[in-house]
Amino acid sequence: MSSVAVLTQESFAEHRSGLVPQQIKVTTLNSEEESDPPTYKDAFPPLPEKAACLENAQEPAGAWSNKIRPIKASVITQVFHVPLEERKYKDMNQFGEGEQAKICLEIMQRTGAHLELSLAKDQGLSIMVSGKLDAVMKARKDIVARLQTQASATVPIPKEHHRFVIGKNGEKLQDLELKTATKIQIPRPDDPSNQIKITGTKEGIEKARHEVLLISAEQDKRAVERLEVEKAFHPFIAGPYNRLVGEIMQETGTRINIPPPSVNRTEIVFTGEKEQLAQAVARIKKIYEEKKKKTTTIAVEVKKSQHKYVIGPKGNSLQEILERTGVSVEIPPSDSISETVILRGEPEKLGQALTEVYAKANSFTVSSVSAPSWLHRFIIGKKGQNLAKITQQMPKVHIEFTEGEDKITLEGPTEDVNVAQEQIESTVKDLINRMDYVEITIDHKFHRHLIGKNGANINRIKDQYKVSVRIPPDSEKSNLIRIEGDPQGVQQAKRELLELASRMENERTKDLIIEQRFHRTIIGQKGERIREIRDKFPEVIINFPDPAQKSDVVQLRGPKNEVEKCTKYMQKMVADLVENSYSISVPIFKQFHKNIIGKGGANIKKIREESNTKIDLPAENSNSETIVITGKRANCEAARSRILSIQKDLANIAEVEVSIPAKLHNSLIGTKGRLIRSIMEECGGVHIHFPVEGSGSDTVVIRGPSSDVEKAKKQLLHLAEEKQTKSFTVDIRAKPEYHKFLIGKGGGKIRKVRDSTGARIIFPAAEDKDQDLITIIGKEDAVREAQRELEALIQNLDNVVEDYMLVEPKHHRHFVIRRGQVLREIAEEYGGVMVSFPRSGTQSDKVTLKGAKDCVEAAKKRIQEIIEDLEAQVTVECAIPQKFHRSVMGPKGSRIQQITRDYNVQIKFPDREENPAQSVEPSIQENGDEAGEGREPDPGSPRRCDIIIISGRKEKCEAAKEALEALVPVTIEVEVPFDLHRYIIGQKGSGIRKMMDEFEVNIHVPAPELQSDIIAITGLAANLDRAKAGLLERVKELQAEQEDRALRSFKLSVTVDPKYHPKIIGRKGAVITQIRLEHDVNIQFPDKDDGSQAQDQITITGYEKNTEAARDAILKIVGELEQMVSEDVPLDHRVHARIIGARGKAIRKIMDEFKVDIRFPQSGAPDPNCVTVTGLPENVEEAIDHILNLEEEYLADVVDSEVLQVYMKPPAHEEYKAPSKGFVVRDAPWTANSSDKAPDMSSSEEFPSFGAQVAPKTLPWGPKR
């Protein structure tokens, strides 16, 4: 047994104080007798000497010497050379780049090896590969295959040798390919060819060819021979445990294959070199001939059941008999009914062998024990524990339980079987005496309810009554339930299960129809809401259908009354969900969506919160203008009104109601809304809202700019009138590129057709699938006329012509800049006409146009108009101070873009001037003289950085100039009291930002140090009045709030003795918080640490009426407290903890029951037994009586416990332990010379180094830089 010892400071001190080594003792744990302390060299064996690390040095004799082993490096480095003529990539200019570098990177990533390339003087490629051996070999193979030119060669070897080249599972072939860095292709077995193809470098091919021929030559030396030997003599040739044949194989080097006993083959196969093979065959023939002459046979009858004992595990018994007697025992196959066993051997040995056969046959016995099948698992025990006790004692005994049979089969050595049988019989007897079982019939449809969720019910019954309950699986559809265990527990479990079943038969199942869209909401996130419902109705089982079934049926099951209550509760919940899921769509012009959202979503958030609705806006990049509001109907209507009012305030939006019979609504809307969409687009994008289908309402609402609304109303009524009289529809087809041309600029052409015929023509929208389809609606004659006109136009468009026109080269650039944007617009507008300008650099002025005749003519006309515009183009200067440019441009230049579109002009802003104060224009020199010499710039003239240049037609430029000047912001001043400025600004500027976003102006509040009442508002003139009104409205609100604050700041003081303050505050401030919330006041208690404050004054702040009510509430509490009395009770401190209870639970219960306050003394108090009880006199008396009764009861327990402690043995860890002497050694270095000398840690003798220094590793490419 090992011992553990410690070297202590005391023992080391003893060495230093001069004690002789003989006086020192060692104390070891787990050893009874003291032995001599070990020497220092035994305890701390010396390390190997430095010389040990040098080459050819003798190994030192030390305890460490046999531990050191050289460690083989796992990373290797190999260098490969690819000659210039064999390099695949020879481009000298791109070394380290291009395809070669890519391939190297791929090889490094795939194999995990590291590659370095360099060029030799002869332009050959040197590749250094580092990494683990297998990675280096793989990388080498890839390098040769991908960076070196490949050659190929064929090697003919006999077909039967091919498999030796491949090796087991192809491993030899893979190794050969890796070793030689080649690709070796071996013909398939069904291919008669014997040629092996090798691909790779010349060097690699030579190596591979050599290896393949070596393998073939080796196989040529080998021979195969087959020898017929009767099956009965195979055991004699193999010998016991195959030893004889093993010896022959080892001595001759020949492989001998004897077929196993189970295979009915007589030939023995020999493989090896010819001479040695002949020796092996001769020896085996000799054994065979000898045995044939000398052996004879006898046949004996042995019971079939005992054959396996004669054979033994893995045939060991047969081998044992053969080894001892030299007799072979032949057993009939297991599928044969024969019981005859044949013994073959020399006559004098047969008797001994026969004795052994019978001994083996009778060494094992089979027995059975009667045991009811239901007891089997109790005999086996949990996880086989009970059975393991028997099998561990008698491992040779095999115990078998057959399901459904009332017996247990035992098999093994006779003695062991008898012992095991006795043990099992006694176990069965014991179990029958104390166990019982019963079978009850319960309809299988109730089984899963009996089991409960996750087996809760059935596990409870099992644990409570200590029984086992077997409920058949659903697949069996069986009603039989079996209960096994203690007789009393079985009866109780039976009773409870039958009660549960009878209760379930009285249960009711109800199907509740709830729309599937509400199921997820009712279940709640992570099942929270359904868990609440189940907790509320624990006896009701609620089953929701699988979402994939698309079913609305929710099943409730449980007692009738509970199911009814649960049904009503869930129906109410669904009604609330239905009410809250009302949805309406509000069409709002896209440009106003940002105003409805507000800065940072402020407006939409406010509407959502105040109306308690869900509002979904379309995505910014979506074409949809519809805002969807979801919630209660009244709330949705309120939210819609608020959103529409924002739109109305922002634009001149009119709303008109038109009465059209409900039966015409569908026909007016058209297929997928095509007809109504065409009216909305034609009338400037107005919104036309039809009532919900089935509502019976005739009112159609049109919303949009006033002029457009009137136009839409007119068209809608005209269309309705047509529909009522007689409506006729015709569809015609035209290529989508013709549609714009047919519609004409601004819809002129199609309007002309409509006006002349009176028919409505509908073109497909961008989202329609059929883009060729044009629909004509109206009276039949009008539709026919419109159809003729349109078909004539389309026919003309189909006649493609080619024409040309002359355009001066100076204008060409205007048409082709911005990737030909102008030409693209012309092509889109005029039926896809192709316009070709001459190539740049040629001075030709001929422009070619190709397309439909009408389209070409219209395009020519449009190009001519553009040229006229270009020739009539003028440049106008508009002077606007630079500080206003950003405001004029608008967000992302949107205002300028609008003006350029509206007036067809170009607007150029000047570059920003960094230092406007220092802007002095440089003098212009003419003829070498300074033109500006002696003159100063005119102070009234505009600066260059203020001038905006407008290009276009003169009249358009003038109109654009006016539009630009109208965008220049104006400033007005509003007088607002200085003390309100900080409230207008709001927290972190939120208030003023909100106003600026809402009114689209800039509001400047003067700095606080100026004490000014003037606030400046800057913005467009149209927005200033609204902003001023909004600001003054905010001022009124703030003044009203100020007045309210003054009223709320009324203060009232109440004088209350400080001893009552904790009671007024209450536990965790509960009482005072209640008073504060109830009376809407602030209550301040004096600071205990502040000596200047009156400690009996409580200050109440709020409305005067509320403060008085709060004062009365406080005085009422004080009045009750003054009636209370405090009494001290002597209570033995040993029972305090019992009375207080865990975390004060017991004492709180007493205080709540008797309505008193009980205070226990703190630790270190003068009288540890003094307990104070405070409350009304009668309550205090009752509480004291109760506490004293508890003391008497608990004290008796304490006294008993103390008496018992006297007789108890003190704990082991309190026994006296002698101080440890620590770990001591003899002949230590510090005792050798001087007793008071400590070890010298700087000495290399006392503290030797670990071997010699290791020389730095030299790299193949020199030291690292």
Side-chain angles (χ1 to χ4, degrees):
M1 189 175 284
S2 65
S3 62
V4 180
V6 184
L7 179 65
T8 63
Q9 286 183 344
E10 292 85 349
S11 63
F12 187 69
E14 283 172 2
H15 285 297
R16 297 194 62 181
S17 61
L19 287 174
V20 292
Q22 285 79 7
Q23 293 172 314
I24 300 160
K25 291 181 181 179
V26 174
T27 305
T28 60
L29 302 175
N30 298 334
S31 64
E32 293 177 9
E33 293 181 7
E34 290 185 359
S35 59
D36 288 338
T39 64
Y40 180 80
K41 280 193 178 179
D42 290 342
F44 304 103
L47 292 168
E49 298 295 325
K50 290 183 183 179
C53 294
L54 301 172
E55 286 183 14
N56 305 324
Q58 287 186 348
E59 213 172 276
W64 303 92
S65 60
N66 59 350
K67 304 273 176 147
I68 297 168
R69 295 279 183 274
I71 297 170
K72 194 175 179 181
S74 62
V75 176
I76 66 160
T77 302
Q78 287 192 13
V79 179
F80 311 121
H81 189 73
V82 181
L84 174 64
E85 60 275 12
E86 289 185 18
R87 279 179 57 192
K88 204 179 255 187
Y89 303 97
K90 297 180 185 176
D91 189 353
M92 304 302 171
N93 300 327
Q94 291 190 338
F95 183 71
E97 295 177 13
E99 197 64 30
Q100 187 168 271
K102 282 182 193 171
I103 288 167
C104 288
L105 276 173
E106 280 175 34
I107 293 170
M108 283 163 73
Q109 284 169 357
R110 205 167 64 80
T111 63
H114 179 70
L115 270 63
E116 285 185 22
L117 274 71
S118 61
L119 271 178
K121 285 182 181 177
D122 62 354
Q123 297 301 318
L125 191 66
S126 290
I127 303 157
M128 186 174 75
V129 187
S130 304
K132 292 188 177 175
L133 180 62
D134 59 338
V136 169
M137 296 310 285
K138 284 178 186 171
R140 180 190 171 194
K141 186 182 170 187
D142 279 5
I143 289 164
V144 167
R146 301 182 67 182
L147 295 182
Q148 205 164 350
T149 53
Q150 304 289 293
S152 67
T154 55
V155 185
I157 66 167
K159 188 82 177 172
E160 60 269 19
H161 295 174
H162 286 194
R163 63 193 181 91
F164 298 104
V165 176
I166 296 167
K168 192 177 180 182
N169 297 328
E171 286 174 7
K172 193 157 189 178
L173 183 65
Q174 285 174 8
D175 287 347
L176 197 57
E177 285 183 333
L178 277 175
K179 203 193 295 180
T180 60
T182 57
K183 174 73 181 165
I184 302 170
Q185 290 171 293
I186 294 174
R188 296 177 64 82
D190 52 4
D191 187 344
S193 170
N194 64 351
Q195 299 280 344
I196 292 177
K197 187 179 179 184
I198 306 170
T199 310
T201 62
K202 288 178 185 175
E203 186 186 348
I205 289 170
E206 284 306 315
K207 278 185 189 175
R209 190 166 177 278
H210 176 68
E211 290 288 336
V212 169
L213 289 172
L214 267 181
I215 293 166
S216 181
E218 195 180 314
Q219 294 308 313
D220 278 336
K221 291 179 189 175
R222 299 175 72 80
V224 177
E225 191 168 328
R226 289 174 171 79
L227 180 66
E228 288 288 335
V229 176
E230 286 178 50
K231 188 81 179 170
F233 292 95
H234 285 189
F236 298 114
I237 290 163
Y241 302 104
N242 290 326
R243 284 191 201 127
L244 183 57
V245 78
E247 283 171 18
I248 295 169
M249 285 200 293
Q250 199 169 357
E251 287 169 15
T252 61
T254 306
R255 189 176 166 201
I256 303 168
N257 185 17
I258 299 173
S262 55
V263 177
N264 193 21
R265 276 170 54 198
T266 57
E267 66 175 16
I268 297 173
V269 181
F270 299 81
T271 312
E273 292 188 9
K274 291 173 183 176
E275 290 174 13
Q276 293 161 330
L277 184 139
Q279 289 174 23
V281 171
R283 284 181 66 175
I284 283 175
K285 274 184 182 175
K286 186 181 175 186
I287 294 165
Y288 174 43
E289 295 298 332
E290 193 181 313
K291 290 293 177 186
K292 259 182 106 173
K293 286 175 188 173
K294 289 184 179 179
T295 58
T296 182
T297 60
I298 59 166
V300 292
E301 296 295 317
V302 177
K303 282 184 188 175
K304 190 78 179 171
S305 61
Q306 292 177 324
H307 285 190
K308 60 183 175 182
Y309 306 131
V310 176
I311 295 166
K314 296 181 181 175
N316 279 349
S317 296
L318 293 177
Q319 296 294 334
E320 202 178 307
I321 294 167
L322 181 63
E323 186 178 31
R324 284 185 191 168
T325 65
V327 174
S328 164
V329 181
E330 295 166 29
I331 307 285
S334 56
D335 53 0
S336 164
I337 56 166
S338 170
E339 293 188 339
T340 305
V341 174
I342 297 168
L343 282 75
R344 187 183 301 273
E346 294 173 15
E348 63 271 16
K349 301 281 180 72
L350 286 174
Q352 186 191 343
L354 186 60
T355 309
E356 291 215 13
V357 166
Y358 279 121
K360 297 281 182 195
N362 296 321
S363 63
F364 279 73
T365 186
V366 177
S367 178
S368 64
V369 177
S370 293
S373 60
W374 65 273
L375 281 179
H376 286 185
R377 55 199 194 81
F378 295 106
I379 295 165
I380 294 165
K382 195 172 185 181
K383 294 182 180 176
Q385 285 174 350
N386 297 348
L387 202 60
K389 290 174 187 173
I390 300 170
T391 53
Q392 279 168 7
Q393 290 172 12
M394 288 152 285
K396 292 183 181 176
V397 176
H398 173 67
I399 303 169
E400 190 177 328
F401 294 83
T402 310
E403 195 176 342
E405 287 188 16
D406 293 341
K407 68 170 185 176
I408 301 165
T409 308
L410 289 85
E411 191 179 314
T414 312
E415 289 178 11
D416 289 357
V417 166
N418 292 338
V419 175
Q421 187 173 347
E422 282 175 23
Q423 288 187 13
I424 290 171
E425 281 174 348
S426 67
T427 305
V428 170
K429 195 174 180 182
D430 174 52
L431 286 170
I432 288 170
N433 290 337
R434 61 183 181 83
M435 300 283 283
D436 194 7
Y437 79 93
V438 71
E439 289 180 344
I440 55 174
T441 304
I442 294 174
D443 195 329
H444 72 270
K445 67 182 177 185
F446 298 136
H447 287 186
R448 63 193 183 95
H449 304 297
L450 290 177
I451 293 165
K453 192 171 184 182
N454 297 328
N457 292 350
I458 205 71
N459 288 339
R460 179 185 58 77
I461 291 169
K462 284 177 181 177
D463 294 342
Q464 190 174 340
Y465 302 119
K466 303 287 184 288
V467 293
S468 169
V469 183
R470 188 194 176 278
I471 297 175
D474 289 345
S475 56
E476 286 184 19
K477 303 286 183 191
S478 169
N479 297 338
L480 205 65
I481 293 176
R482 187 184 179 95
I483 310 166
E484 299 165 355
D486 177 65
Q488 191 180 348
V490 165
Q491 291 305 319
Q492 288 173 326
K494 175 186 173 182
R495 199 179 308 117
E496 183 162 341
L497 284 171
L498 289 171
E499 279 175 16
L500 279 169
S502 65
R503 205 183 306 155
M504 281 172 200
E505 284 172 356
N506 297 327
E507 280 182 350
R508 183 180 171 194
T509 301
K510 185 167 184 178
D511 289 343
L512 198 59
I513 305 297
I514 298 173
E515 285 182 62
Q516 197 182 28
R517 63 192 173 113
F518 296 131
H519 290 189
R520 193 187 286 270
T521 314
I522 292 168
I523 292 166
Q525 195 173 13
K526 294 181 181 174
E528 284 173 7
R529 290 185 74 174
I530 197 67
R531 206 176 295 121
E532 284 174 24
I533 299 169
R534 284 179 174 143
D535 292 344
K536 204 176 183 73
F537 305 99
E539 293 180 54
V540 179
I541 295 163
I542 306 167
N543 287 323
F544 283 86
D546 192 310
Q549 291 176 358
K550 306 286 183 192
S551 170
D552 294 340
V553 179
V554 177
Q555 195 180 69
L556 308 182
R557 182 183 178 79
K560 188 177 178 182
N561 294 339
E562 289 296 304
V563 167
E564 287 302 324
K565 285 179 190 173
C566 187
T567 303
K568 284 178 184 173
Y569 181 82
M570 288 186 76
Q571 281 173 339
K572 186 178 182 299
M573 184 188 271
V574 172
D576 290 344
L577 287 172
V578 170
E579 190 183 357
N580 287 322
S581 63
Y582 178 76
S583 178
I584 52 173
S585 299
V586 188
I588 298 291
F589 292 101
K590 194 80 177 177
Q591 63 263 38
F592 301 130
H593 283 201
K594 65 178 190 306
N595 305 93
I596 287 160
I597 295 166
K599 183 110 179 194
N603 292 357
I604 200 75
K605 191 177 178 184
K606 191 177 178 186
I607 297 169
R608 280 175 180 149
E609 286 172 359
E610 291 179 5
S611 64
N612 193 23
T613 55
K614 182 187 174 191
I615 302 172
D616 294 316
L617 287 99
E620 200 173 335
N621 54 1
S622 161
N623 292 327
S624 171
E625 295 186 334
T626 307
I627 295 173
V628 180
I629 308 169
T630 311
K632 289 187 178 177
R633 185 167 189 151
N635 295 349
C636 290
E637 295 292 347
R640 180 170 70 173
S641 304
R642 287 189 63 171
I643 289 170
L644 289 172
S645 69
I646 291 171
Q647 179 179 251
K648 205 169 184 180
D649 292 346
L650 290 168
N652 179 24
I653 302 296
E655 191 176 293
V656 172
E657 291 184 353
V658 183
S659 183
I660 295 172
K663 63 182 179 180
L664 296 175
H665 289 183
N666 279 344
S667 59
L668 288 175
I669 292 166
T671 311
K672 293 182 181 175
R674 282 181 69 199
L675 186 53
I676 202 68
R677 197 163 55 241
S678 73
I679 295 172
M680 291 198 292
E681 286 170 5
E682 196 177 322
C683 301
V686 295
H687 290 142
I688 302 174
H689 181 67
F690 283 83
V692 179
E693 196 175 351
S695 62
S697 171
D698 293 344
T699 307
V700 177
V701 179
I702 309 170
R703 191 182 299 111
S706 307
S707 57
D708 293 339
V709 165
E710 283 304 316
K711 193 175 170 186
K713 179 182 174 183
K714 209 173 189 180
Q715 285 207 25
L716 203 60
L717 289 170
H718 177 67
L719 193 60
E721 191 183 332
E722 275 185 10
K723 290 279 181 188
Q724 272 182 313
T725 51
K726 193 180 178 184
S727 181
F728 185 73
T729 305
V730 164
D731 289 339
I732 60 171
R733 293 187 171 275
K735 292 178 184 175
E737 57 264 30
Y738 294 165
H739 291 188
K740 272 197 176 179
F741 184 74
L742 292 173
I743 293 165
K745 196 169 184 181
K749 281 190 179 179
I750 209 70
R751 200 179 299 115
K752 193 177 174 185
V753 175
R754 276 182 191 156
D755 293 345
S756 65
T757 61
R760 169 161 292 283
I761 300 154
I762 301 162
F763 286 85
E767 61 269 17
D768 287 347
K769 283 184 182 175
D770 195 346
Q771 289 290 310
D772 292 356
L773 193 71
I774 301 170
T775 306
I776 310 170
I777 299 171
K779 292 178 182 174
E780 188 174 356
D781 54 346
V783 168
R784 295 289 182 203
E785 181 63 30
Q787 184 183 1
R788 273 195 296 277
E789 288 194 26
L790 280 175
E791 281 175 348
L793 283 170
I794 292 163
Q795 195 174 354
N796 287 341
L797 291 173
D798 285 336
N799 297 329
V800 177
V801 296
E802 191 172 320
D803 202 352
Y804 70 92
M805 63 184 293
L806 301 176
V807 177
E808 286 185 44
K810 65 179 180 179
H811 297 312
H812 289 192
R813 188 172 175 278
H814 175 78
F815 290 94
V816 295
I817 58 168
R818 295 193 299 279
R819 295 185 182 177
Q821 188 181 336
V822 176
L823 294 180
R824 276 203 307 276
E825 287 170 4
I826 291 169
E828 281 177 24
E829 198 171 336
Y830 300 104
V833 67
M834 285 173 63
V835 183
S836 301
F837 275 78
R839 293 174 71 86
S840 59
T842 60
Q843 290 301 307
S844 172
D845 58 358
K846 186 177 178 181
V847 176
T848 307
L849 297 93
K850 189 177 182 181
K853 190 177 180 184
D854 292 350
C855 294
V856 168
E857 288 303 321
K860 279 171 74 175
K861 194 176 175 184
R862 175 68 187 131
I863 291 169
Q864 202 59 49
E865 284 173 11
I866 291 169
I867 292 165
E868 284 172 18
D869 282 350
L870 290 170
E871 287 175 347
Q873 194 165 326
V874 297
T875 300
V876 173
E877 291 184 352
C878 175
I880 294 174
Q882 186 182 7
K883 62 182 178 180
F884 297 129
H885 286 190
R886 190 177 293 235
S887 173
V888 169
M889 285 180 188
K892 295 181 182 177
S894 56
R895 290 175 180 165
I896 288 301
Q897 288 165 14
Q898 189 63 42
I899 292 170
T900 55
R901 280 197 297 272
D902 292 349
Y903 300 104
N904 194 21
V905 293
Q906 297 291 320
I907 300 172
K908 187 176 185 303
F909 279 77
D911 294 334
R912 284 186 67 80
E913 194 173 63
E914 294 302 323
N915 300 311
Q918 299 174 7
S919 79
V920 177
E921 289 188 12
S923 304
I924 301 165
Q925 291 190 358
E926 285 184 15
N927 304 324
D929 299 325
E930 289 189 7
E933 196 177 333
R935 286 184 296 168
E936 289 184 9
D938 182 6
S941 66
R943 295 176 306 160
R944 184 178 293 174
C945 63
D946 295 342
I947 293 169
I948 298 168
I949 295 166
I950 308 167
S951 306
R953 281 183 172 270
K954 189 175 181 182
E955 62 276 14
K956 296 284 178 79
C957 288
E958 291 300 331
K961 184 179 177 182
E962 285 174 22
L964 276 176
E965 286 169 347
L967 292 174
V968 176
V970 183
T971 302
I972 60 167
E973 293 181 344
V974 183
E975 195 170 332
V976 175
F978 174 73
D979 58 333
L980 296 179
H981 286 194
R982 63 196 182 99
Y983 301 112
I984 286 167
I985 292 167
Q987 193 174 13
K988 293 182 180 177
S990 59
I992 202 159
R993 258 200 316 275
K994 186 181 173 188
M995 289 175 73
M996 290 198 294
D997 291 342
E998 190 176 341
F999 302 116
E1000 294 183 358
V1001 294
N1002 184 31
I1003 301 172
H1004 177 69
V1005 180
E1009 56 268 18
L1010 298 176
Q1011 300 279 315
S1012 170
D1013 291 345
I1014 303 299
I1015 290 179
I1017 306 174
T1018 306
L1020 300 181
N1023 297 341
L1024 289 179
D1025 291 340
R1026 282 172 52 239
K1028 183 178 177 181
L1031 184 59
L1032 293 173
E1033 185 65 35
R1034 178 70 181 136
V1035 169
K1036 280 183 190 173
E1037 286 175 18
L1038 290 169
Q1039 284 172 340
E1041 284 175 18
Q1042 266 187 337
E1043 289 170 16
D1044 186 57
R1045 264 199 301 277
L1047 291 172
R1048 283 178 68 89
S1049 59
F1050 179 79
K1051 286 190 178 181
L1052 186 67
S1053 292
V1054 188
T1055 305
V1056 176
D1057 194 318
K1059 69 180 179 182
Y1060 297 133
H1061 288 190
K1063 289 289 180 187
I1064 294 166
I1065 293 166
R1067 181 171 294 164
K1068 294 182 181 176
V1071 177
I1072 202 69
T1073 303
Q1074 181 65 30
I1075 295 169
R1076 280 179 182 144
L1077 294 173
E1078 199 173 318
H1079 301 287
D1080 189 24
V1081 293
N1082 183 27
I1083 302 170
Q1084 196 72 35
F1085 284 82
D1087 188 352
K1088 289 180 184 177
D1089 301 330
D1090 190 354
S1092 61
Q1093 285 188 24
Q1095 293 297 309
D1096 59 353
Q1097 292 296 312
I1098 298 173
T1099 307
I1100 308 169
T1101 310
Y1103 291 119
E1104 187 177 356
K1105 181 174 68 177
N1106 294 1
T1107 56
E1108 287 170 358
R1111 178 194 60 192
D1112 295 344
I1114 289 170
L1115 292 174
K1116 185 183 175 186
I1117 293 168
V1118 171
E1120 289 174 3
L1121 291 170
E1122 283 174 344
Q1123 292 175 17
M1124 291 184 180
V1125 295
S1126 287
E1127 280 195 34
D1128 291 343
V1129 187
L1131 205 66
D1132 195 303
H1133 67 276
R1134 291 174 294 178
V1135 298
H1136 287 192
R1138 287 282 298 275
I1139 290 169
I1140 292 166
R1143 297 183 181 179
K1145 197 174 180 183
I1147 199 67
R1148 272 202 300 277
K1149 190 178 178 185
I1150 295 167
M1151 291 196 290
D1152 292 343
E1153 188 180 338
F1154 296 101
K1155 294 185 175 58
V1156 294
D1157 183 56
I1158 302 169
R1159 298 281 170 193
F1160 286 82
Q1162 292 182 341
S1163 59
D1167 185 358
N1169 299 331
C1170 183
V1171 175
T1172 306
V1173 185
T1174 307
L1176 295 173
E1178 59 275 14
N1179 292 352
V1180 169
E1181 289 298 326
E1182 287 177 18
I1184 288 170
D1185 288 346
H1186 181 72
I1187 291 169
L1188 291 172
N1189 289 340
L1190 287 175
E1191 180 198 27
E1192 192 177 335
E1193 183 186 330
Y1194 295 157
L1195 208 52
D1197 294 345
V1198 170
V1199 171
D1200 290 348
S1201 169
E1202 285 177 352
V1203 169
L1204 199 62
Q1205 286 293 328
V1206 176
Y1207 299 101
M1208 293 287 281
K1209 185 182 176 184
H1213 61 79
E1214 289 181 10
E1215 290 177 13
Y1216 173 73
K1217 281 186 182 176
S1220 169
K1221 290 286 182 87
F1223 177 59
V1224 179
V1225 290
R1226 290 183 290 117
D1227 304 333
W1230 53 84
T1231 61
N1233 303 326
S1234 173
S1235 58
D1236 51 352
K1237 183 186 174 189
D1240 180 10
M1241 287 193 286
S1242 62
S1243 166
S1244 61
E1245 287 181 11
E1246 293 186 20
F1247 293 93
S1249 61
F1250 280 83
Q1253 285 187 327
V1254 178
K1257 183 181 174 184
T1258 56
L1259 297 173
W1261 307 107
K1264 287 185 181 178
R1265 284 190 286 277

